[in-house]
Structures are given as structure tokens and as C-alpha cells.
Amino acid sequence: MATACNMFTVSTLRSVTFASLNHHHHHSSFDIASLNRSSFPAGFIFGTSSGAYQYEGAAEKFGRGPSIWDTFTQYPDNILDRSNGDVAVDQYHRYKEDVEIMKDMNLDAYRFSISWPRILPSELNIRD
């Protein structure tokens, strides 16, 4: 029996794209003005997620080794605006504030990642 996986992406254009990731790959959009928890099936889990490089920051602190992205972004021609993840949104230092915001939003779940170079700082060629 195949299980359908539902994904909702909220954009800044005030619309939601619904993609049912089953064999039919059905896509539809609708206005989110009337969207609330009762718009979803019982048991639906509302959450957010983050990726280490984009969120973590503290790139050279507390023993974290360099990641492949740290190395890549140090070359001026690789990133048009020369941005990098050295500070990112600084979740490393602001995680308590972030958790409070998630609680205020009444979220059920949070998926986060921790950069491998923070876990295994002395390993070579570790990728985030």
C-alpha cells in the first residue's frame, strides 16, 4: 500500500502550494487568508525546519572545523554577493529565542541539523 506524503509551502505571495507526493503528483494553489488548523486533517503536524549552514552560524567558534561550504564561499567568484554562513541567522546563540518563537506560533515539530564539522571537527573533507 502506497502512503501519500503531503507538503505545504507557504510563500510570501500569500498563497499555499499543495503537492501530494504520490503517484499522481497533484499540484494546486489557493489563498491562505482563510487557512487555519481546521483546514488540515486531524493529526496533521505543523512544524518548521532549518539547515545547519543557513541557520547555525558560529562558524569558527567552539571547536567547529571548516565545512565544504565554508571553503567554497571563501573564493570571491563563487558567490555573487560574497555572502557566507559564518554568522548566518546565528541560531547557535539564539536558539532559545527561536524556540520561543516556535512556541508562540503553536508549532508541533522542529527538524534541525547540526553541521558535521561541529560534531567531528577534526575530520577532513566533511560535508554539511
Side-chain angles (χ1 to χ4, degrees), residues 104-126:
D104 290 345
M105 293 175 66
N106 198 26
L107 295 178
D108 303 316
Y110 175 50
R111 189 222 42 98
F112 64 96
S113 65
I114 300 170
S115 69
W116 277 109
R118 191 170 303 286
I119 297 167
L120 303 169
S122 63
E123 298 295 320
L124 298 176
N125 299 319
I126 297 292

Side-chain angles (χ1 to χ4, degrees), residues 5-6 32 44-45 52-53 56 59 76 90 98 100:
C5 175
N6 296 320
I32 65 169
F44 189 90
I45 297 172
Y53 190 76
E56 197 175 77
D90 200 23
D98 292 342
E100 285 301 316

